[in-house]
Amino acid sequence: MKRDRFYRRLFEIIPGFLTWTTLISLFILAFIKPLWVAIFVITFDLYWVIRICYLTLLLVFAYRRLGIEKKTDYLKECQAAGSVDGLEYKNIYHAILFPSYKEGLDILVPSIEALEKANYPKNKMIVVLSVEERAGPEAWDNALSLKEKFKGRFFHFIVTRHPDNIPGEIKVKGANASWGAKALKEFIDLKGIDYEHIIISCFDADTCAEKEYFGCLAYHYITNPRRMHSSYQPIPVYNNNIWYARSIARILELGSSFMQMIETMRLEKFVTFSSHSMSFKTLVNVGYWPVDMISDDSAIYWKCFLYFDGDYSVIPMYVTVSMDVATEKGIIPTIIKQYKQKRRWAWGVENFPYVMLGFMENNRIPLFKKARRAFHILESHYTWAVWAIIITFIAPLPLIFGGGLFRQTAIGYNLPSVAASLFRVSLFTIFVCMFISIKLLPPRPKDVKPQKRIIMFVQWLFSPVVCALLGSTPAIDAQTRLMLGKYMHFYVTPKSRKQTEKK
């Protein structure tokens, strides 16, 4: 319909329009009205000081809770919980879905071996490996070899090949994941298992779940009276190859982990990210993951949110899943890879038009809830796009172009003081991140020199520069493409564990 196309384009334009209007206006006003920009910068810096303090506090709380709950034997907790609504750990099956493209055995084998190490009965675990047909015969041969290698170690091991060019689909992970979930459905129907007794976890190919993950997931699922109306989100860490990654890549990936830890403390804004879990019954009811959106991991949350008329939430699980740092041997290729990955994450802004159109069609969601959630999406992407540019590049402009008279005003005099306060608060946050990052590190491999641990500390001193370079630009890129209708293709981050030691 023309009306739907009009509103879709309108909502696609809004995020990028707000971002570019803000940045261009501030840059122009810095020349002609430096006082106005200075007032804005001081207000923004003060807001950012408060925000950083608040987020740092949430990060500490989340880390503390993670440390406490990581010691829990969740299988015992499941046993103690007994039967709730006819559900108990003995009749719950975990389906672990790995949508795969061209990931080699060096990536896939450790991910599946991590399932074997889980503190949960393996006869209640179903592994689904869904490979892309366009990946070529080697990917399919790898899938078959894995099925043979792990034969008899789980309740069942399903391999399936997602055909290319299915009408209505684009080349995205969600299409492959949905194909794999449908293959799982055929198997479950054949076995006559109730969908409500199946919890499906959609993992990236490099995801290694810690041993308590499935016990923790089962416990939350059993004890949650709204289990059909919930997704379950672990904390992602990027420990698989962290000792071998470039420092710039480590900082960015650790920053992503910290933001996810913070989000576990803000349940009103919490949305699924990367590897996540949910009831298979819910997944079937809502029609699986979107097959025409790049940000499938967050889009499935919004799909469920709209399906259940706003009565859907994400339950944080204080257990970790480990993935790969996106890194390369050279610093420039690493920056390019990180930029492309962060731009793909920033493409989650596509959720804004999807959700707004859904809100227009669904009159059963309260208006206040619609307004609040729409604001959360827009504000998070807007802030992501402008904060580093404003603090790094816009803030000095009033002092540069305001002249000596401006610097003698109260505003001009206090502008550097406010910036210094922001720097001091940021420095404290950097030390907190430094401490937590060291605590989250896996054991040092034998082929890594002991002095590498010192580099793990020192790298954080470069985090302001890294944030200035790669903080806002991927988000601006993604929003601009969406605003202009230049839709992105899904970027599959190349992964390989065959890395040499980096600084």
Side-chain angles (χ1 to χ4, degrees):
M1 293 176 60
K2 289 185 178 180
R3 175 178 174 271
D4 289 343
R5 286 197 297 270
F6 169 79
Y7 281 111
R8 176 173 291 278
R9 284 298 297 138
L10 174 65
F11 294 132
E12 288 176 346
I13 290 170
I14 286 174
F17 175 79
L18 289 176
T19 293
W20 279 110
T21 299
T22 299
L23 297 179
I24 293 174
S25 298
L26 288 174
F27 183 79
I28 294 174
L29 289 173
F31 290 90
I32 60 177
K33 294 290 183 179
L35 181 62
W36 293 7
V37 176
I39 293 173
F40 174 87
V41 168
I42 288 176
T43 305
F44 187 84
D45 283 355
L46 289 173
Y47 159 76
W48 209 251
V49 166
I50 296 170
R51 184 184 178 99
I52 288 177
C53 291
Y54 170 64
L55 296 181
T56 303
L57 193 62
L58 293 184
L59 175 60
V60 172
F61 288 159
Y63 169 72
R64 177 179 172 82
R65 185 165 178 182
L66 176 63
I68 294 172
E69 296 202 16
K70 277 176 71 73
K71 302 173 184 177
T72 305
D73 185 333
Y74 276 103
L75 186 58
K76 289 184 178 179
E77 294 294 324
C78 288
Q79 293 168 346
S83 178
V84 181
D85 300 328
L87 288 172
E88 55 182 319
Y89 88 96
K90 292 181 180 180
N91 61 16
I92 286 180
Y93 293 83
H94 288 283
I96 304 93
L97 171 61
F98 292 100
S100 174
Y101 182 45
K102 290 185 177 181
E103 292 82 5
L105 294 176
D106 59 324
I107 297 294
L108 293 167
V109 170
S111 299
I112 299 174
E113 286 179 341
L115 305 181
E116 279 195 295
K117 299 173 184 176
N119 182 26
Y120 202 85
K122 310 308 177 296
N123 63 349
K124 297 295 182 181
M125 299 174 74
I126 306 168
V127 181
V128 184
L129 179 56
S130 182
V131 300
E132 291 284 4
E133 181 182 62
R134 66 179 185 274
E138 183 180 354
W140 182 244
D141 291 342
N142 285 341
L144 294 178
S145 68
L146 287 170
K147 182 176 182 179
E148 183 63 27
K149 176 181 175 67
F150 292 97
K151 183 179 180 180
R153 303 190 193 183
F154 302 99
F155 179 64
H156 198 58
F157 197 119
I158 301 171
V159 295
T160 184
R161 183 157 42 186
H162 174 231
D164 207 9
N165 298 320
I166 295 178
E169 293 187 357
I170 62 175
K171 292 177 172 60
V172 291
K173 190 184 83 174
N176 190 5
S178 295
W179 179 269
K182 291 173 183 177
L184 171 66
K185 180 178 179 295
E186 292 180 4
F187 172 76
I188 292 172
D189 290 342
L190 184 65
K191 293 294 183 179
I193 304 173
D194 190 333
Y195 293 169
E196 192 171 343
H197 290 241
I198 306 287
I199 311 173
I200 185 166
S201 300
C202 186
F203 285 176
D204 288 347
D206 61 332
T207 300
C208 297
E210 72 166 79
K211 68 175 185 177
E212 293 297 335
Y213 179 87
F214 298 100
C216 179
L217 177 56
Y219 174 76
H220 282 291
Y221 188 77
I222 292 168
T223 57
N224 181 11
R226 299 178 63 257
R227 62 184 69 88
M228 299 296 116
H229 292 239
S230 303
S231 287
Y232 304 84
Q233 180 66 55
I235 294 174
V237 295
Y238 298 85
N239 284 348
N240 289 348
N241 62 338
I242 195 167
W243 284 101
Y244 303 100
R246 285 277 180 183
S247 293
I248 189 172
R250 288 196 297 263
I251 292 170
L252 290 168
E253 303 289 36
L254 283 165
S256 299
S257 294
F258 294 157
M259 283 308 302
Q260 283 302 301
M261 291 172 68
I262 290 168
E263 291 302 300
T264 65
M265 296 279 109
R266 303 194 293 178
L267 297 183
E268 76 283 358
K269 297 182 178 181
F270 203 23
V271 175
T272 45
F273 171 80
S274 188
S275 300
H276 59 276
S277 306
M278 62 190 300
S279 165
F280 188 68
K281 181 177 181 179
T282 299
L283 182 65
V284 172
N285 286 345
V286 302
Y288 306 97
W289 289 276
V291 298
D292 57 355
M293 296 180 69
I294 290 176
S295 54
D296 59 278
D297 49 359
S298 54
I300 185 61
Y301 166 81
W302 292 114
K303 194 172 183 179
C304 294
F305 187 88
L306 294 171
Y307 179 86
F308 288 109
D309 302 329
D311 184 21
Y312 198 81
S313 59
V314 180
I315 306 298
M317 299 196 304
Y318 291 91
V319 291
T320 59
V321 291
S322 182
M323 294 173 286
D324 285 18
V325 176
T327 188
E328 289 287 349
K329 292 181 180 180
I331 183 66
I332 299 301
T334 296
I335 292 174
I336 293 172
K337 178 181 278 192
Q338 279 287 330
Y339 181 87
K340 289 181 177 180
Q341 184 189 64
K342 298 302 180 287
R343 183 179 62 187
R344 189 191 75 203
W345 292 358
W347 190 254
V349 71
E350 69 174 334
N351 286 322
F352 181 69
Y354 174 79
V355 171
M356 293 303 294
L357 288 174
F359 284 171
M360 290 176 63
E361 296 173 0
N362 191 323
N363 296 320
R364 297 176 297 278
I365 303 175
L367 181 60
F368 177 75
K369 178 173 281 192
K370 290 180 179 178
R372 186 179 65 176
R373 298 314 301 269
F375 175 78
H376 287 165
I377 301 174
L378 192 58
E379 183 271 338
S380 62
H381 286 280
Y382 171 78
T383 305
W384 185 354
V386 303
W387 76 270
I389 301 295
I390 291 175
I391 291 174
T392 307
F393 300 107
I394 301 294
L397 294 182
L399 290 174
I400 296 173
F401 299 109
L405 185 63
F406 168 77
R407 285 191 287 272
Q408 294 176 12
T409 65
I411 296 294
Y413 177 80
N414 285 293
L415 185 57
S417 300
V418 175
S421 299
L422 178 60
F423 174 78
R424 286 192 291 269
V425 172
S426 300
L427 193 62
F428 172 74
T429 300
I430 288 172
F431 281 112
V432 171
C433 292
M434 185 185 297
F435 171 80
I436 295 177
S437 68
I438 295 299
K439 289 293 184 179
L440 291 177
L441 274 178
R444 177 177 57 84
K446 293 180 180 179
D447 61 334
V448 174
K449 298 176 182 178
Q451 54 265 37
K452 189 65 173 288
R453 188 173 289 273
I454 299 175
I455 297 175
M456 294 293 192
F457 277 100
V458 175
Q459 67 185 16
W460 285 100
L461 298 179
F462 300 96
S463 58
V465 177
V466 174
C467 290
L469 290 174
L470 293 173
S472 292
T473 47
I476 294 174
D477 189 344
Q479 291 178 25
T480 304
R481 289 170 183 265
L482 185 65
M483 178 176 66
L484 299 177
K486 305 294 184 181
Y487 303 113
M488 282 177 54
H489 299 290
F490 189 87
Y491 171 70
V492 180
T493 306
K495 298 180 176 72
S496 175
R497 302 280 165 79
K498 299 173 184 177
Q499 299 287 342
T500 56
E501 189 173 348
K502 308 293 189 301
K503 293 184 178 181

